Amino acid sequence: MFTKSLLRLSTRTTTSAVARPILLQLPLQQRQSLATAAMSGIIQSVLQDHKEIDAYYQKYKQNAGNYDEQKKWANQLIWEVARHSAAEELVLYPAIEDKLSDGKALADAARAQHQDVKNDLYKLDQMSLKSASDSGAFDTQLRKVMDDLTRHIREEEEVDLPKLKAAISSTESTKMAQEFERTKLLVPTRPHPSAPDKPPFETVAGLMAAPLDKLRDVFRSFPSKEEVRKAEE
């Protein structure tokens, strides 16, 4: 599957000192968390992401006027939407195309919706949020992102996911969830609206962009792990 291709390609692009499967580089607790999420199946994995994205937006709104805190939660939201979107395009949508008679039409429509979100998210990612003078434009752009994303999520949860759930076995669902969670570890963490949105080209483009994104993330502010955990409760 696509995660295996990502792992093979990522190993080739690293030095021998770090050329290990990425899951083995994670702390035991994080690997266990990924395993727990994946065991619930692909539908629950996707729904959990949707819940987390909304939680981060709520935290952004709750911190109105505190621009440092708002920027942290905006960065967290951008990070999660970028990873979630790429994982859907690499894992979920190919499965929808393969398993459903109208899967190609559903997947193409979802990719088009993703493209709108990516375009708006990219604009947001380039914007400053340091003072009241920045706040109005930033709020408007983020609200546009969330409006588009909410419409997409609603359609996905009401149409795409129920159809897929009925078409796959519990074993297939678990395997897809595992692949989905692993893929999120390897894909870009910032929006790239001009990048391909289908494998194998998205796989290659993602491997090229992801290291630079992760380097940029080092210099950005994010909520702490504890803050994120509490927001997701």
Side-chain angles (χ1 to χ4, degrees), residues 9 17 32 48 52 54 58 77 96-97 108 135 139 146 157 165 174 178 184 221:
L9 285 167
Q32 290 173 333
Q48 180 62 30
E52 291 173 4
D54 180 67
Q58 298 307 317
L77 188 150
I96 288 175
E97 288 175 321
D108 285 347
S135 180
D139 283 351
M146 291 305 299
E157 292 184 356
K165 183 177 181 179
T174 297
Q178 292 169 343
K184 285 169 59 181
S221 60

PDB file of all heavy atoms in Angstrom, residues 9 17 32 48 52 54 58 77 96-97 108 135 139 146 157 165 174 178 184 221:
ATOM      1  N   LEU A   9      10.661   4.822   0.283  1.00  0.00           N
ATOM      2  CA  LEU A   9      11.250   6.019  -0.287  1.00  0.00           C
ATOM      3  C   LEU A   9      11.928   6.869   0.762  1.00  0.00           C
ATOM      4  O   LEU A   9      13.009   7.405   0.549  1.00  0.00           O
ATOM      5  CB  LEU A   9      10.175   6.846  -1.016  1.00  0.00           C
ATOM      6  CG  LEU A   9       9.721   6.285  -2.366  1.00  0.00           C
ATOM      7  CD1 LEU A   9       8.460   7.011  -2.818  1.00  0.00           C
ATOM      8  CD2 LEU A   9      10.807   6.435  -3.419  1.00  0.00           C
ATOM      9  N   ALA A  17      22.633   6.232   9.199  1.00  0.00           N
ATOM     10  CA  ALA A  17      22.536   6.376  10.651  1.00  0.00           C
ATOM     11  C   ALA A  17      21.099   6.513  11.125  1.00  0.00           C
ATOM     12  O   ALA A  17      20.779   6.205  12.259  1.00  0.00           O
ATOM     13  CB  ALA A  17      23.329   7.600  11.102  1.00  0.00           C
ATOM     14  N   GLN A  32       2.043   3.246  21.029  1.00  0.00           N
ATOM     15  CA  GLN A  32       0.850   2.626  21.601  1.00  0.00           C
ATOM     16  C   GLN A  32      -0.395   3.450  21.303  1.00  0.00           C
ATOM     17  O   GLN A  32      -1.463   2.897  21.023  1.00  0.00           O
ATOM     18  CB  GLN A  32       1.033   2.466  23.109  1.00  0.00           C
ATOM     19  CG  GLN A  32       2.069   1.410  23.490  1.00  0.00           C
ATOM     20  CD  GLN A  32       2.356   1.389  24.974  1.00  0.00           C
ATOM     21  OE1 GLN A  32       2.216   2.408  25.663  1.00  0.00           O
ATOM     22  NE2 GLN A  32       2.787   0.245  25.482  1.00  0.00           N
ATOM     23  N   GLN A  48     -12.189  10.996  14.442  1.00  0.00           N
ATOM     24  CA  GLN A  48     -11.382  11.553  15.530  1.00  0.00           C
ATOM     25  C   GLN A  48     -10.608  12.779  15.056  1.00  0.00           C
ATOM     26  O   GLN A  48     -10.517  13.783  15.767  1.00  0.00           O
ATOM     27  CB  GLN A  48     -10.419  10.498  16.080  1.00  0.00           C
ATOM     28  CG  GLN A  48      -9.536  10.973  17.217  1.00  0.00           C
ATOM     29  CD  GLN A  48     -10.316  11.388  18.452  1.00  0.00           C
ATOM     30  OE1 GLN A  48     -11.390  10.866  18.728  1.00  0.00           O
ATOM     31  NE2 GLN A  48      -9.781  12.338  19.201  1.00  0.00           N
ATOM     32  N   GLU A  52     -10.812  16.643  16.457  1.00  0.00           N
ATOM     33  CA  GLU A  52      -9.639  17.387  16.925  1.00  0.00           C
ATOM     34  C   GLU A  52      -9.505  18.717  16.196  1.00  0.00           C
ATOM     35  O   GLU A  52      -9.169  19.745  16.809  1.00  0.00           O
ATOM     36  CB  GLU A  52      -8.381  16.534  16.739  1.00  0.00           C
ATOM     37  CG  GLU A  52      -8.341  15.338  17.682  1.00  0.00           C
ATOM     38  CD  GLU A  52      -7.191  14.394  17.397  1.00  0.00           C
ATOM     39  OE1 GLU A  52      -6.358  14.718  16.501  1.00  0.00           O
ATOM     40  OE2 GLU A  52      -7.119  13.333  18.040  1.00  0.00           O
ATOM     41  N   ASP A  54     -11.892  20.564  14.987  1.00  0.00           N
ATOM     42  CA  ASP A  54     -12.879  21.481  15.571  1.00  0.00           C
ATOM     43  C   ASP A  54     -12.437  21.950  16.957  1.00  0.00           C
ATOM     44  O   ASP A  54     -12.624  23.127  17.307  1.00  0.00           O
ATOM     45  CB  ASP A  54     -14.238  20.791  15.668  1.00  0.00           C
ATOM     46  CG  ASP A  54     -15.302  21.709  16.263  1.00  0.00           C
ATOM     47  OD1 ASP A  54     -15.659  22.703  15.602  1.00  0.00           O
ATOM     48  OD2 ASP A  54     -15.767  21.448  17.388  1.00  0.00           O
ATOM     49  N   GLN A  58     -11.977  25.827  18.243  1.00  0.00           N
ATOM     50  CA  GLN A  58     -12.652  26.362  19.421  1.00  0.00           C
ATOM     51  C   GLN A  58     -11.651  27.023  20.376  1.00  0.00           C
ATOM     52  O   GLN A  58     -11.939  28.074  20.963  1.00  0.00           O
ATOM     53  CB  GLN A  58     -13.435  25.261  20.156  1.00  0.00           C
ATOM     54  CG  GLN A  58     -14.552  24.628  19.338  1.00  0.00           C
ATOM     55  CD  GLN A  58     -15.513  25.649  18.752  1.00  0.00           C
ATOM     56  OE1 GLN A  58     -15.922  26.610  19.424  1.00  0.00           O
ATOM     57  NE2 GLN A  58     -15.876  25.462  17.487  1.00  0.00           N
ATOM     58  N   LEU A  77      -3.930  23.846  14.205  1.00  0.00           N
ATOM     59  CA  LEU A  77      -5.007  23.509  13.273  1.00  0.00           C
ATOM     60  C   LEU A  77      -4.469  23.301  11.856  1.00  0.00           C
ATOM     61  O   LEU A  77      -4.819  22.326  11.183  1.00  0.00           O
ATOM     62  CB  LEU A  77      -6.062  24.614  13.294  1.00  0.00           C
ATOM     63  CG  LEU A  77      -7.361  24.356  12.522  1.00  0.00           C
ATOM     64  CD1 LEU A  77      -8.514  25.092  13.198  1.00  0.00           C
ATOM     65  CD2 LEU A  77      -7.254  24.807  11.065  1.00  0.00           C
ATOM     66  N   ILE A  96     -12.091   4.356  -1.343  1.00  0.00           N
ATOM     67  CA  ILE A  96     -13.443   4.694  -1.788  1.00  0.00           C
ATOM     68  C   ILE A  96     -13.598   4.406  -3.276  1.00  0.00           C
ATOM     69  O   ILE A  96     -14.600   3.842  -3.722  1.00  0.00           O
ATOM     70  CB  ILE A  96     -13.754   6.173  -1.469  1.00  0.00           C
ATOM     71  CG1 ILE A  96     -13.950   6.348   0.043  1.00  0.00           C
ATOM     72  CG2 ILE A  96     -14.987   6.656  -2.226  1.00  0.00           C
ATOM     73  CD1 ILE A  96     -14.137   7.781   0.482  1.00  0.00           C
ATOM     74  N   GLU A  97     -12.586   4.768  -4.057  1.00  0.00           N
ATOM     75  CA  GLU A  97     -12.622   4.504  -5.501  1.00  0.00           C
ATOM     76  C   GLU A  97     -12.667   3.007  -5.792  1.00  0.00           C
ATOM     77  O   GLU A  97     -13.352   2.558  -6.714  1.00  0.00           O
ATOM     78  CB  GLU A  97     -11.396   5.122  -6.176  1.00  0.00           C
ATOM     79  CG  GLU A  97     -11.438   6.635  -6.240  1.00  0.00           C
ATOM     80  CD  GLU A  97     -10.160   7.239  -6.812  1.00  0.00           C
ATOM     81  OE1 GLU A  97      -9.066   6.715  -6.490  1.00  0.00           O
ATOM     82  OE2 GLU A  97     -10.252   8.218  -7.559  1.00  0.00           O
ATOM     83  N   ASP A 108     -13.329  12.176  -6.352  1.00  0.00           N
ATOM     84  CA  ASP A 108     -12.983  13.381  -7.116  1.00  0.00           C
ATOM     85  C   ASP A 108     -13.633  14.619  -6.504  1.00  0.00           C
ATOM     86  O   ASP A 108     -13.007  15.691  -6.429  1.00  0.00           O
ATOM     87  CB  ASP A 108     -13.416  13.232  -8.575  1.00  0.00           C
ATOM     88  CG  ASP A 108     -12.501  12.311  -9.369  1.00  0.00           C
ATOM     89  OD1 ASP A 108     -11.398  11.993  -8.867  1.00  0.00           O
ATOM     90  OD2 ASP A 108     -12.890  11.916 -10.481  1.00  0.00           O
ATOM     91  N   SER A 135      -5.685  41.003  13.312  1.00  0.00           N
ATOM     92  CA  SER A 135      -6.690  40.054  13.785  1.00  0.00           C
ATOM     93  C   SER A 135      -7.891  39.919  12.865  1.00  0.00           C
ATOM     94  O   SER A 135      -8.360  38.806  12.609  1.00  0.00           O
ATOM     95  CB  SER A 135      -7.154  40.458  15.189  1.00  0.00           C
ATOM     96  OG  SER A 135      -8.123  39.554  15.675  1.00  0.00           O
ATOM     97  N   ASP A 139      -8.873  36.417  11.257  1.00  0.00           N
ATOM     98  CA  ASP A 139     -10.132  35.781  11.667  1.00  0.00           C
ATOM     99  C   ASP A 139     -11.005  35.457  10.458  1.00  0.00           C
ATOM    100  O   ASP A 139     -11.599  34.374  10.376  1.00  0.00           O
ATOM    101  CB  ASP A 139     -10.924  36.701  12.603  1.00  0.00           C
ATOM    102  CG  ASP A 139     -10.367  36.722  14.011  1.00  0.00           C
ATOM    103  OD1 ASP A 139      -9.477  35.905  14.320  1.00  0.00           O
ATOM    104  OD2 ASP A 139     -10.820  37.565  14.805  1.00  0.00           O
ATOM    105  N   MET A 146     -12.610  27.246   7.805  1.00  0.00           N
ATOM    106  CA  MET A 146     -13.462  26.368   8.597  1.00  0.00           C
ATOM    107  C   MET A 146     -14.840  26.183   7.973  1.00  0.00           C
ATOM    108  O   MET A 146     -15.430  25.099   8.065  1.00  0.00           O
ATOM    109  CB  MET A 146     -13.588  26.904  10.023  1.00  0.00           C
ATOM    110  CG  MET A 146     -12.309  26.812  10.843  1.00  0.00           C
ATOM    111  SD  MET A 146     -11.620  25.130  10.935  1.00  0.00           S
ATOM    112  CE  MET A 146     -12.946  24.250  11.737  1.00  0.00           C
ATOM    113  N   GLU A 157     -18.945  12.711   6.316  1.00  0.00           N
ATOM    114  CA  GLU A 157     -19.512  11.924   7.409  1.00  0.00           C
ATOM    115  C   GLU A 157     -20.916  11.402   7.089  1.00  0.00           C
ATOM    116  O   GLU A 157     -21.305  10.346   7.592  1.00  0.00           O
ATOM    117  CB  GLU A 157     -19.538  12.756   8.691  1.00  0.00           C
ATOM    118  CG  GLU A 157     -18.145  13.063   9.239  1.00  0.00           C
ATOM    119  CD  GLU A 157     -18.177  13.812  10.560  1.00  0.00           C
ATOM    120  OE1 GLU A 157     -19.291  14.165  11.013  1.00  0.00           O
ATOM    121  OE2 GLU A 157     -17.096  14.043  11.132  1.00  0.00           O
ATOM    122  N   LYS A 165     -17.992   2.235   5.073  1.00  0.00           N
ATOM    123  CA  LYS A 165     -18.139   1.324   6.216  1.00  0.00           C
ATOM    124  C   LYS A 165     -18.928   0.084   5.831  1.00  0.00           C
ATOM    125  O   LYS A 165     -18.603  -1.037   6.260  1.00  0.00           O
ATOM    126  CB  LYS A 165     -18.829   2.054   7.364  1.00  0.00           C
ATOM    127  CG  LYS A 165     -18.957   1.217   8.629  1.00  0.00           C
ATOM    128  CD  LYS A 165     -19.588   2.022   9.755  1.00  0.00           C
ATOM    129  CE  LYS A 165     -19.699   1.196  11.031  1.00  0.00           C
ATOM    130  NZ  LYS A 165     -20.301   1.989  12.145  1.00  0.00           N
ATOM    131  N   THR A 174      -9.455  -1.969   9.967  1.00  0.00           N
ATOM    132  CA  THR A 174      -8.328  -1.848  10.886  1.00  0.00           C
ATOM    133  C   THR A 174      -7.030  -1.621  10.132  1.00  0.00           C
ATOM    134  O   THR A 174      -6.223  -0.758  10.506  1.00  0.00           O
ATOM    135  CB  THR A 174      -8.212  -3.109  11.755  1.00  0.00           C
ATOM    136  OG1 THR A 174      -9.387  -3.243  12.553  1.00  0.00           O
ATOM    137  CG2 THR A 174      -6.994  -3.043  12.664  1.00  0.00           C
ATOM    138  N   GLN A 178      -4.571   1.704  10.346  1.00  0.00           N
ATOM    139  CA  GLN A 178      -3.141   1.649  10.637  1.00  0.00           C
ATOM    140  C   GLN A 178      -2.340   2.393   9.578  1.00  0.00           C
ATOM    141  O   GLN A 178      -1.416   3.145   9.893  1.00  0.00           O
ATOM    142  CB  GLN A 178      -2.698   0.186  10.731  1.00  0.00           C
ATOM    143  CG  GLN A 178      -3.262  -0.539  11.936  1.00  0.00           C
ATOM    144  CD  GLN A 178      -3.041  -2.042  11.883  1.00  0.00           C
ATOM    145  OE1 GLN A 178      -2.743  -2.604  10.824  1.00  0.00           O
ATOM    146  NE2 GLN A 178      -3.190  -2.706  13.015  1.00  0.00           N
ATOM    147  N   LYS A 184       0.179   9.738   8.250  1.00  0.00           N
ATOM    148  CA  LYS A 184       0.185  11.074   8.839  1.00  0.00           C
ATOM    149  C   LYS A 184       1.547  11.434   9.441  1.00  0.00           C
ATOM    150  O   LYS A 184       1.857  12.611   9.624  1.00  0.00           O
ATOM    151  CB  LYS A 184      -0.906  11.184   9.911  1.00  0.00           C
ATOM    152  CG  LYS A 184      -2.306  11.296   9.333  1.00  0.00           C
ATOM    153  CD  LYS A 184      -3.380  11.128  10.391  1.00  0.00           C
ATOM    154  CE  LYS A 184      -3.262  12.155  11.490  1.00  0.00           C
ATOM    155  NZ  LYS A 184      -4.314  11.966  12.529  1.00  0.00           N
ATOM    156  N   SER A 221       5.373  28.451  16.967  1.00  0.00           N
ATOM    157  CA  SER A 221       4.827  28.181  18.296  1.00  0.00           C
ATOM    158  C   SER A 221       3.627  27.249  18.179  1.00  0.00           C
ATOM    159  O   SER A 221       2.807  27.386  17.264  1.00  0.00           O
ATOM    160  CB  SER A 221       4.403  29.484  18.974  1.00  0.00           C
ATOM    161  OG  SER A 221       3.402  30.145  18.216  1.00  0.00           O
TER     162      SER A 221
END
